[in-house]
């Protein structure tokens, strides 16, 4: 399951037989191919994160890019990992929900804590994608208005209707960061 190995495989568009993903501060060299433990050139980033690297915090719900559950950060930008091929992420920095907290202390990211403080989740299935979209927003705009938060999260669908608490959590995290 790991992913730090190389071997014979097929070539991707760049002409290489492997890709390198930097995920949550860890570097993974993954063979591209259709064999066991390899990343097929048709595998999505969501599939690779969950099935190859074992990072199951990223959720897949609709698998069509409509719900936002699979949102991760690629080079700091929110992307739908179910609509992004893993081979497209070669050499890119990827952050998943598992990568937000402080790895040394285990402390949650302030945004994650704000979600807890405001009970901005119910079943929690959409929460990782919503947190990651919120993280991208706050990185780009540390002082968003309520309308800007709503716009930034318009691609994240919560079936449990925790939207009001999510907005409160994002605004609170924004205020505390100032």
């Amino acid at each position: 399951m790991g992913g730090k190995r190389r071997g014979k495989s097929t070539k991707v568009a760049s002409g290489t037989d492997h890709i390198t993903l930097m995920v949550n501060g860890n570097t993974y060299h993954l063979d591209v191919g259709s064999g066991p433990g390899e990343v097929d050139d048709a595998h999505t980033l969501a599939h690779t994160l969950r099935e190859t690297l074992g990072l199951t915090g990223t959720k897949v719900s609709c698998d069509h890019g409509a719900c936002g559950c699979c949102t991760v950060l690629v080079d700091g930008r929110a992307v739908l990992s179910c609509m992004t091929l893993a081979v497209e992420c070669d050499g890119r920095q990827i952050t998943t929900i598992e990568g937000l907290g402080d790895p040394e202390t285990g402390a949650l990211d302030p945004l994650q804590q704000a979600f807890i403080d405001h009970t901005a989740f119910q079943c929690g299935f959409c929460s990782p994608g919503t947190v990651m979209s919120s993280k991208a927003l706050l990185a780009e705009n540390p002082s968003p208005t309520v309308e800007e938060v709503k716009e930034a999260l318009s691609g994240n669908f919560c079936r449990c209707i925790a939207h009001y608490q999510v907005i409160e959590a994002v605004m609170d995290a924004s205020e505390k960061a100032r």
Side-chain angles (χ1 to χ4, degrees), residues 1 46-55:
M1 281 278 305
H47 176 87
T48 300
L49 291 170
R50 292 181 57 80
E51 304 302 325
T52 305
L53 302 181
L55 297 170

Side-chain angles (χ1 to χ4, degrees), residues 125-138:
F125 198 81
C126 69
S127 297
T130 304
V131 169
M132 298 310 289
S133 292
S134 300
K135 188 73 174 172
L137 166 67
L138 294 177

Side-chain angles (χ1 to χ4, degrees), residues 4-15:
K4 300 187 181 202
R5 57 186 173 272
R6 292 185 183 191
K8 186 177 178 187
S9 61
T10 61
K11 298 200 180 292
V12 292
S14 66

